[in-house]
Amino acid sequence: MGARIIDGKALAAGLKRQLAEQMAALEEKDIRPGLATVLVGNPYEAEAYEKRIRYLAGDIGCHYTREPLPEDTAEADVVATVGKLNADPRVSGILILKPLPEGISEAAVHEALDPKKDIEAVHPVNAGLLTLGRPRYVPSTPAACFHALDSYLASSGRDPADFYSRSNLVVVGRSNNVGKPLVSLGFSRNATVTSCDVHTYNAGRLREFTIQADILIVAAGVEGLIDASYVREGVIAVDVGINPVEDPETGQTKLVGDLDFESVAEKAEALTPVPGGIGPVTDAWLLNNAILAAKTAAGLDTSVEPAARQPLSSSNKIYNLQNIRE
Ligand code: NAD
């Protein structure tokens, strides 16, 4: 295995240092960012994610509000909870944890968010701004993927902007929260982008597209979907998938990605592992977005934030709240 492993834990540690610096600067101005989460029911992965970001918020001194709701909560009550958080001045950013139980419309809950607190860009206004290449917030998982790629490309001596503009970027998975924003961010970097989803797979054509990828990002939620036969020699591969499986040796649940790691590593130039890849970077980006929301709410100039600018190509501006009219 000659591939380089893109170390998400190390990247996250760097981002956490930046978060701590930002928090210290805000404390001097008497501004305390606040993150709120809404979790309906007890989905295993969402609970684990909520716990991780609660601890991270505590570590950096971010105010944290937790709204756990029972599985049988009515949609109107979830919407009312979001309304309460919108009105709470201690909360600068809100995360709606997925999945919501059947019978609750994700669209209705997302539309209930105050767009200025919608740090995952799921409200139609923010999703639209992202698609137009002028994001208010870059959602955390897609941002984490490009942070990992930007950092890797720079560390390998390349000019990321030049590399993206000459690259085939293939994204597997087309969800509103991960796959589609990844495509928009690929466009922002002037890559040639192909989007594949389960229909591509069912049509028997997934390999035909993935094998052309210079950069492959996989976010399908299917254990080991992509093996060496799906990638070309020298691919740079990012694995977003998190799939709990039983370890046959220990009987314990362990997490694996959408890449068949060992086999893809035989051909890849570099790839992200699971765990320890995109997950920890995502956590840090979510907190970064909560801080960004607090800064913009306080009327601070966010146009100079290096961390906020990072997921965009140098030819794109980051638009802060003052630039956007609803
Ligand atoms: P989702 O279920 O909403 O969407 C999955 C997408 O993958 C869909 O577009 C679907 O059509 C596509 N897909 C499914 N099977 C496929 C196949 N065989 N071939 C090609 N495409 C296929 O899931 P999501 O929220 O986008 O999450 C995707 C994965 O990423 C999950 O494993 C999730 O746990 C993980 N995830 C990780 C992070 C992180 O921080 N690392 C964050 C969010 C999601």
Side-chain angles (χ1 to χ4, degrees), residues 45 49 52 98 141 172-179 196-202 206 218-222 225 239-243 258 278-280 282-283:
E45 281 166 54
Y49 182 37
R52 282 204 317 272
K98 273 196 11 170
T141 301
V172 180
R174 200 180 291 156
S175 66
N176 289 338
N177 56 315
V178 184
C196 303
D197 80 341
V198 71
H199 299 89
T200 324
Y201 178 85
N202 288 341
L206 185 60
V218 190
V222 180
L225 173 67
D239 193 350
V240 180
I242 302 176
N243 307 294
D258 290 355
I278 295 306
T282 294
D283 299 353

Side-chain angles (χ1 to χ4, degrees), residues 272-286:
T272 64
V274 176
I278 295 306
V281 188
T282 294
D283 299 353
W285 264 102
L286 185 76

